[in-house]
Amino acid sequence: MLTAGQPPYPSETIMHDWQYSERARNLTSSAIREILKVTERPDVISFAGGLPSPATFPVAEMRAAAERVLTESPQAALQYSATEGFAPLREWIAKRYSRDGHTVTPDNVLITTGSQQGLDLIGKIFIDEGSRVIVEAPSYLGALQSFSLFAPTYVSVPTDDHGLLPEALTPELVRGARFLYAMPNFQNPTGRRLPMARREALAAVAKREGLAIIEDDPYGELDYEGQRLPSLMSLAPDHVLYMGSFSKVLAPGLRLGFIIGPKPVIAKLVQAKQAADLHTPSVTQRIAYEVVKDGFLETHIPSIRTLYAAQAKAMLASLEKHMPKDATWTTPAGGMFIWLTLPAGIDTMQLLEKAIAQNVAFVPGAPFYVGTPQSNTLRLSFVTVPPEKIEVGVSRLGALIADALTRRAA
């Protein structure tokens, strides 16, 4: 029984019996998540979060789907279910991704609790301490954070304005690598899309060198002109695990992702998932299936593309108007991000402190690198900020950058 004034938990100074694993001791917080805490203030114009626009969430369709699920199959929706996922949803995914000459069956599909769980499961089944893992430079921070739990040895492959350079994947570089992690469509953080010729070259490397590729594709549906390019999976199906998500085309709160791959690999991922969470929530899988099963995405996704294209156009126009001439940036044809490169010597982590003081936020580029970081880079997300605020935020940011360049020259 607690005595008067006794705290319900012991103080931090005497909790010496909790012995963390080495893995836990090496954990660090996501740089983006820490930044997002600051941007929750309503007066901050935030280009930081990689969040889809809430305006794209199909609330009415979700409400109706939830009503049908809980009316027609409530017990099944609220019960435990198969680790592999809700069979009709897996069948829908298999049918949707059977294209470009490649056939997917439901046995090739695993439903995950968001793409982030997919990354975790992939790390668990492929990475031992010290295993070589190849990543783009820069690469998606969430993947780096997930894989780093398993203590790999990272190898960076260089990129240019068109993305990853397949010719850099020499036999010496890929030898012994567990996999290459790549985001070929509107990459996070750069917004770049890998051209067709490079996709074919990358698939050829995978086949020739026996290189496994993790193709992470949360943004592929968001090409503004609707000009989809074939997946790496369709070009080298025996060598690719394809990761998809419902977060950007329905809603991230569903926490629904999926992995498509060779059956033996999917079977091993199923075993890892059984130990992680048994299965992705039955009710959210069924609700998502109810929403998408009759072709809803064919009209919904174009509306997202239209909105995001307008937002991107507004930001690109503002950058052209307000950025100093020494700054350069990507011009995305889809997705949610623009990558800004400033002259060498400008540290965007320091710039962020001044930007937040001006009620503007972005993500510094350094955390997206596993080797020597390019500290003069930053990521801008435009999809949740209305055009009039984009103009204000970019104007403030441009003034801060111009001031930093003036101070550097002084």
Side-chain angles (χ1 to χ4, degrees):
M1 179 177 295
L2 296 178
T3 59
Q6 182 180 350
Y9 288 98
S11 69
E12 293 292 332
T13 58
I14 62 172
M15 290 181 64
H16 57 272
D17 291 334
W18 296 91
Q19 299 295 318
Y20 293 117
S21 68
E22 182 177 354
R23 178 180 297 114
R25 289 195 297 270
N26 291 332
L27 285 174
T28 58
S29 297
S30 163
I32 295 177
R33 290 292 167 183
E34 293 302 311
I35 292 169
L36 286 177
K37 293 178 183 178
V38 177
T39 65
E40 290 174 354
R41 300 200 317 256
D43 54 336
V44 173
I45 299 173
S46 177
F47 304 132
L51 311 175
S53 171
T56 67
F57 299 164
V59 176
E61 289 79 6
M62 288 286 184
R63 184 182 296 115
E67 179 68 24
R68 289 196 300 274
V69 166
L70 293 175
T71 299
E72 298 171 8
S73 53
Q75 286 81 13
L78 299 174
Q79 184 57 279
Y80 289 117
S81 61
T83 301
E84 290 83 350
F86 183 47
L89 183 59
R90 292 167 62 219
E91 291 167 3
W92 181 89
I93 292 169
K95 183 177 180 180
R96 185 174 180 84
Y97 288 88
S98 290
R99 57 195 183 193
D100 303 318
H102 174 53
T103 299
V104 177
T105 73
D107 289 339
N108 297 121
V109 179
L110 170 66
I111 306 295
T112 60
T113 308
S115 285
Q116 197 65 28
Q117 185 189 53
L119 293 168
D120 178 66
L121 298 177
I122 287 168
K124 285 176 178 175
I125 73 165
F126 285 119
I127 303 175
D128 294 312
E129 184 176 351
S131 298
R132 286 166 61 87
V133 170
I134 305 173
V135 297
E136 299 168 288
S139 189
Y140 171 48
L141 181 57
L144 299 180
Q145 187 179 28
S146 181
F147 297 152
S148 292
L149 275 172
F150 308 102
T153 298
Y154 286 117
V155 178
S156 290
V157 60
T159 61
D160 64 10
D161 289 342
H162 300 288
L164 181 149
L165 296 167
E167 61 268 25
L169 294 168
T170 63
E172 293 75 21
L173 189 143
V174 304
R175 186 177 297 121
R178 296 295 171 90
F179 57 80
L180 160 68
Y181 172 77
M183 194 177 279
N185 289 319
F186 316 120
Q187 190 226 29
N188 184 352
T190 65
R192 298 164 180 156
R193 177 160 68 166
L194 197 66
M196 187 63 201
R198 294 196 186 183
R199 292 169 189 251
E200 293 172 338
L202 185 52
V205 171
K207 294 174 182 177
R208 183 178 68 246
E209 304 295 337
L211 175 65
I213 298 175
I214 310 302
E215 180 180 14
D216 195 356
D217 190 26
Y219 310 105
E221 300 275 13
L222 303 182
D223 54 303
Y224 303 147
E225 301 298 326
Q227 302 297 318
R228 185 184 57 80
L229 293 178
S231 64
L232 300 174
M233 172 180 65
S234 69
L235 299 173
D238 292 337
H239 299 274
V240 176
L241 278 181
Y242 179 94
M243 297 179 59
S245 173
F246 288 95
S247 291
K248 307 305 186 293
V249 296
L250 283 181
L254 290 170
R255 305 313 303 131
L256 282 179
F258 54 91
I259 302 175
I260 303 173
K263 293 179 185 178
V265 184
I266 293 297
K268 187 57 65 175
L269 288 166
V270 167
Q271 292 173 343
K273 183 171 171 60
Q274 287 171 348
D277 67 351
L278 299 182
H279 63 85
T280 296
S282 308
V283 67
T284 53
Q285 292 187 68
R286 287 172 178 263
I287 290 171
Y289 175 69
E290 283 295 316
V291 172
V292 303
K293 68 178 184 180
D294 294 323
F296 171 73
L297 291 185
E298 308 317 311
T299 55
H300 182 59
I301 290 175
S303 69
I304 302 175
R305 292 171 178 160
T306 299
L307 174 63
Y308 288 3
Q311 301 286 92
K313 183 178 179 180
M315 178 166 278
L316 290 168
S318 294
L319 290 169
E320 192 67 39
K321 181 178 179 181
H322 295 292
M323 280 295 141
K325 61 181 179 63
D326 292 333
T328 61
W329 53 87
T330 57
T331 304
M336 300 166 51
F337 305 108
I338 291 174
W339 186 244
L340 206 64
T341 302
L342 307 180
I346 302 296
D347 187 334
T348 58
M349 194 69 77
Q350 296 176 5
L351 184 68
L352 176 63
E353 296 180 16
K354 297 180 180 179
I356 290 175
Q358 295 290 322
N359 290 330
V360 180
F362 60 84
V363 179
F368 295 95
Y369 293 87
V370 297
T372 303
Q374 292 187 21
S375 299
N376 59 324
T377 57
L378 61 93
R379 191 193 76 179
L380 300 173
S381 178
F382 46 81
V383 301
T384 59
V385 186
E388 63 275 12
K389 285 194 173 183
I390 288 177
E391 172 79 12
V392 173
V394 171
S395 173
R396 293 176 185 172
L397 185 57
L400 288 169
I401 292 170
D403 181 67
L405 290 173
T406 299
R407 291 174 180 275
R408 190 193 63 161

